DNA sequence: TTTATATTGAGATATTGTATCAACACTACC
DNA sequence: GGTAGTGTTGATACAATATCTCAATATAAA
């Protein structure tokens, strides 16, 4: 079976392949169900829900049990390869993290841009001085409409 | 019953009283269950969960049905008197909004500071130019430790 | 190949809500 | 003061997201 696995990995689009490699590096096995989730996430190419992953995989008759999809998403979040998206309506979407912390999301189609330079340093310094808090983390998500949806 | 209601309102701490007034202004009845939720939220004085509201009220034997607590929280969110908090671990906390959009939250005790000037205008302008998106909303939450928890 | 460990899938369970609907409580009108 | 209409409540059912349990299976290491 491990030969089959290697064959499939070789056929993966680069991003899923890279994510799988990072999973392996972290000491986790790159199994078929986990690969399937990675492929789905890469293919969807937007902020996705677990349900959307499952639907994508069901259409291709390669869906693992829903528990395994949830487990894989959680594992990838813990490894900081996936990231939870904080939406305006709900917080049940995830994205491939790419090491970036923040997102710009199209409320119309779900298209997503990641960026890391959030320019909050001054605000954080000011707030620390004003409040006496020691700030060490933050959530920042921006919402709007992407060029394609604006053109429609 | 309406005499009793007025008597109790007069005993409220100011913030709950004000929130109740705004509910009334918006055309909603200020009932005992709704007042109870307001009192609990004010008393907790931090980012709270619906479960925490219920516990606070149960301890005082004045808890409405859980459905009414959820309904009241939702109503107050719709009226922008409460606001959902986007936490690092989950997004099931709420705060009294005070019209401000952003929060600084102590991860240790849940203490909460609100502020409105988030200084994101430059970032938003830059991102709009870089991406072609039209940005019209955002979520920003900051996390750290409050002075009291830092002192422990 | 054998052994030990990690992972899976199915189903039960938990958590956070929302929908339904009969009973109740106000309000306005007569 | 009664009555009708509306808003609200509480109990329960239901839904969506997610985790737990545990036997069966897959994988890796010896």
């Amino acid at each position: 079976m491990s030969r089959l696995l290697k064959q499939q990995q070789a056929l993966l689009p680069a991003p899923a392949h890279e994510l799988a490699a990072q999973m392996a590096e972290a000491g986790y096995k790159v199994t078929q169900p986990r690969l399937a989730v990675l492929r789905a996430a890469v293919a969807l190419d937007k902020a996705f829900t677990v349900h959307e992953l499952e639907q994508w995989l069901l259409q291709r008759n390669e869906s693992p049990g829903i528990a395994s999809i949830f487990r894989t998403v959680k594992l990838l979040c813990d490894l900081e390869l996936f990231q939870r998206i904080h939406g305006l309506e709900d917080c049940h979407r995830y994205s491939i993290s790419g090491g970036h912390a923040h997102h710009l999301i199209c409320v119309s189609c779900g298209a997503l841009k990641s960026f890391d330079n959030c320019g909050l340093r001054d605000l954080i310094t000011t707030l620390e001085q004003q409040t006496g808090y020691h700030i060490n983390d933050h959530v920042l998500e921006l919402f709007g409409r992407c060029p394609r949806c604006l053109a429609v």
Side-chain angles (χ1 to χ4, degrees), chain A:
Chain A
M1 178 63 96
S2 84
R3 268 224 337 262
L4 180 57
L5 208 56
K6 268 173 201 156
Q7 243 182 322
Q8 288 210 347
Q9 261 181 277
L11 297 173
L12 289 175
H17 189 78
E18 282 168 27
L19 293 170
Q22 288 184 263
M23 272 183 74
E25 234 172 273
Y28 294 93
K29 294 176 184 166
V30 179
T31 62
Q32 301 272 1
R34 286 171 175 171
L35 269 175
V37 169
L38 287 177
R39 262 183 280 118
V42 169
L44 283 169
D45 189 33
K46 58 163 196 156
F48 51 83
T49 62
V50 169
H51 181 68
E52 285 168 352
L53 292 177
E54 190 192 22
Q55 289 305 306
W56 192 94
L57 290 162
L58 282 173
Q59 280 169 20
R60 284 153 191 81
N61 273 37
E62 52 188 69
S63 184
I66 187 71
S68 289
I69 303 181
F70 273 108
R71 270 190 296 236
T72 301
V73 168
K74 181 168 170 37
L75 173 62
L76 290 163
C77 284
D78 290 346
L79 293 175
E80 297 186 19
L81 300 175
F82 280 12
Q83 200 177 327
R84 179 186 292 273
I85 301 289
H86 297 269
L88 292 172
E89 301 304 319
D90 54 69
C91 302
H92 304 299
R93 290 187 175 271
Y94 302 84
S95 72
I96 297 173
S97 172
H100 300 292
H102 308 304
H103 306 99
L104 170 50
I105 299 150
C106 177
V107 296
S108 177
C109 73
L112 177 142
K113 296 266 179 199
S114 297
F115 60 97
D116 50 5
N117 183 6
C118 58
L120 287 175
R121 195 165 308 169
D122 287 353
L123 173 68
I124 288 171
T125 304
T126 304
L127 282 171
E128 284 185 332
Q129 286 169 358
Q130 284 176 2
T131 63
Y133 278 58
H134 182 54
I135 299 172
N136 48 36
D137 211 343
H138 60 269
V139 165
L140 174 63
E141 310 277 10
L142 300 162
F143 304 93
R145 291 171 67 86
C146 72
R148 252 178 48 185
C149 289
L150 283 172
V152 174

